[in-house]
Amino acid sequence: MKEIKMFQPAPPTESGMLDVAVGPHYRIGNGIAAVHQRWVIALIPAMAASLFFFGPAALRVFGLSVFFAVIIDLLAEKIAPSRDLTSNWSSVLLAIVFAFMLPLNAPWWLILTGCAFMVIVGKKIFGGIGAHPAHPAVLSIAILQLSWPLRMDNTAALKDIDWPVTMVEPLRLLKSMGTFAESQYNWLDLFLGRQVAATADGMVLFVLIGGVFLLFAREIQWQLPAGFFIGLLGSATLLHLSDPATFASPMFYILSGGTLFMGFFLITDHTTSPVNRLPMFVYGILAGVLLILIRGYSKHADGIAYAVLLVNLCSPLMDMIKPKVKGAGDV
């Protein structure tokens, strides 16, 4: 029989300390930068559709957002060094998400101000990526909407564009005309992104393609978007049945504005969403219900920014729902 040699710890070094060299761990290369890069890839279809429809105007918004966000991140890192390095691509991803929700004619100073709020107030002050309590890009959009509402008007941003669609936001027309507004839009146009919305959040089909990519890449969990659409469809159906002259059909809410963008790219943010499966599902349902209530009963036509921020505040409570621990003491 062969002698079996037991594992022996490394002998002490000359200094008397134990040798704690790197162990035989398997490295798969899934760093933070790689995760953010996959999210950027998921946003490319909607970005490409926006560039196809709007050309240089959309390119200006995306380019300025990324440029300002990266420069501000670099300056903040120089002034107050942290573990949230610019090289982790978080500022690039946040800048693109931010640009998706900006109006097409956003002036440079508005983009610069928004990027400053997003990077410094939304991210850096709380310790950087992984520590912020609310989505930085959404927080910045909400601040801009409250501070400069006329500059954040998507309908006014597209008024001079020769585009064969109804030139007013679908959800805004719903506010003023009731469900008669549905007859003014072709559902195929809404699905293909031919509607008045922000720079890219209304590119429904292309946002859906990116969301499916994130699901297959396992960058997001299915419980979040599934819960969101169940909550949205359920609450929208109940409101439509209770008052069909005021509240649109559930499908109209899904295809209008940034609904799909919220479901796949905003509430699924790793930092601000719960970590366990059941809380994710409940979190998604709450987000869908909040969005419909804001659209139905507030003065805000779209309301995705406020729905996201409200549900972000509930994430710590959702994380208190924990699975039962099974171990040696479990009978």
Side-chain angles (χ1 to χ4, degrees):
M1 178 181 291
K2 292 184 178 180
E3 180 183 359
I4 300 176
K5 294 184 178 180
M6 300 300 292
F7 171 77
Q8 296 294 330
T13 60
E14 293 181 359
S15 62
M17 304 297 288
L18 292 176
D19 185 359
V20 288
V22 177
H25 302 297
Y26 181 64
R27 182 179 178 86
I28 60 175
N30 268 345
I32 297 176
V35 171
H36 291 153
Q37 287 164 7
R38 283 192 285 273
W39 278 66
V40 171
I41 292 171
L43 291 167
I44 287 177
M47 291 174 62
S50 179
L51 292 172
F52 176 78
F53 284 131
F54 306 125
L59 181 62
R60 182 188 67 88
V61 175
F62 288 122
L64 286 177
S65 296
V66 173
F67 175 76
F68 286 144
V70 171
I71 293 299
I72 293 170
D73 198 302
L74 284 170
L75 291 175
E77 188 60 29
K78 291 290 185 182
I79 296 170
S82 68
R83 299 182 66 183
D84 180 32
L85 303 177
T86 309
S87 59
N88 65 20
W89 278 65
S90 63
S91 291
V92 175
L93 173 60
L94 288 174
I96 295 174
V97 171
F98 173 67
F100 266 55
M101 297 180 284
L102 283 173
L104 195 65
N105 68 343
W108 68 268
W109 59 265
L110 187 74
I111 300 175
L112 175 60
T113 304
C115 288
F117 277 120
M118 178 179 68
V119 174
I120 298 174
V121 179
K123 184 167 75 99
K124 290 292 187 180
I125 283 181
F126 294 101
I129 197 71
H132 47 78
H135 196 299
V138 177
L139 176 64
S140 180
I141 288 293
I143 292 173
L144 296 183
Q145 288 179 348
L146 293 173
S147 302
W148 295 280
L150 297 180
R151 290 288 188 177
M152 295 295 289
D153 189 335
N154 294 323
T155 297
L158 295 174
K159 63 181 178 63
D160 296 326
I161 293 180
D162 184 14
W163 209 19
V165 299
T166 303
M167 292 304 290
V168 61
E169 289 176 88
L171 294 168
R172 173 180 289 190
L173 197 61
L174 178 67
K175 287 279 187 182
S176 60
M177 299 181 62
T179 51
F180 176 74
E182 286 192 66
S183 63
Q184 306 303 304
Y185 299 92
N186 183 293
W187 281 23
L188 180 60
D189 283 341
L190 295 177
F191 183 63
L192 294 177
R194 293 196 292 261
Q195 60 173 302
V196 175
T199 298
D201 67 351
M203 303 295 168
V204 178
L205 170 62
F206 308 97
V207 168
L208 178 61
I209 293 172
V212 172
F213 170 80
L214 289 180
L215 287 170
F216 277 99
R218 304 187 69 177
E219 287 297 333
I220 62 175
Q221 300 297 316
W222 65 267
Q223 289 87 354
L224 285 165
F228 173 75
F229 291 115
I230 289 174
L232 186 144
L233 288 171
S235 54
T237 300
L238 290 175
L239 291 178
H240 180 66
L241 292 176
S242 66
D243 189 358
T246 302
F247 298 100
S249 64
M251 190 56 64
F252 186 76
Y253 286 112
I254 286 181
L255 296 178
S256 301
T259 305
L260 262 69
F261 186 63
M262 175 178 169
F264 284 112
F265 288 95
L266 298 183
I267 66 167
T268 54
D269 174 63
H270 294 316
T271 301
T272 55
S273 61
V275 296
N276 295 311
R277 294 179 181 178
L278 179 58
M280 285 181 184
F281 191 67
V282 177
Y283 181 86
I285 291 175
L286 180 60
V289 172
L290 284 172
L291 180 62
I292 290 299
L293 292 178
I294 291 173
R295 286 178 171 180
Y297 293 106
S298 77
K299 65 178 182 179
H300 303 287
D302 200 337
I304 60 172
Y306 308 103
V308 171
L309 293 179
L310 285 173
V311 79
N312 284 168
L313 297 177
C314 300
S315 183
L317 297 176
M318 301 293 177
D319 278 327
M320 296 176 68
I321 305 174
K322 299 178 180 178
K324 183 179 178 182
V325 178
K326 295 185 179 180
D330 189 52
V331 180

